[in-house]
Amino acid sequence: MKSEFVPWLAVAQEWREDYLVLRLTTREGVLWSDGRPFSARDVSFTFNLLKTHPALDRRGLWGFLDEVHAVDERTVD
């Protein structure tokens, strides 16, 4: 126990466009249980699933979001 922050899925965040866009960079080497790599597309899919099915959005995230999309394999805006 070192009381250090250890990122699980994202290793960086950066506010852009006057703090209207949050860019996340996912961690390399994360695998799903079936061995497939975790990617920014998975993050985008999950957020957009909540948008498509509002009953799943228990925290009301889409009340604050306009869009979520994968920029590349490791980057989400």
Side-chain angles (χ1 to χ4, degrees):
M1 196 61 85
K2 295 181 182 181
S3 297
E4 294 177 2
F5 176 73
V6 178
W8 286 6
L9 298 177
V11 294
Q13 65 181 16
E14 174 191 3
W15 283 104
R16 303 166 60 86
E17 299 176 31
D18 293 328
Y19 294 91
L20 294 175
V21 175
L22 177 61
R23 176 165 282 184
L24 299 173
T25 304
T26 61
R27 185 166 62 96
E28 280 189 273
V30 176
L31 301 175
W32 288 99
S33 60
D34 64 2
R36 290 186 177 185
F38 175 80
S39 73
R41 287 178 291 150
D42 296 313
V43 176
S44 176
F45 172 83
T46 302
F47 275 96
N48 287 301
L49 181 69
L50 299 178
K51 184 177 184 179
T52 303
H53 302 283
L56 299 175
D57 187 10
R58 297 182 56 163
R59 302 258 185 216
L61 296 173
W62 281 99
F64 303 96
L65 301 173
D66 288 327
E67 63 180 343
V68 175
H69 66 276
V71 176
D72 58 33
E73 284 298 309
R74 294 192 50 222
T75 309
V76 181
D77 278 353

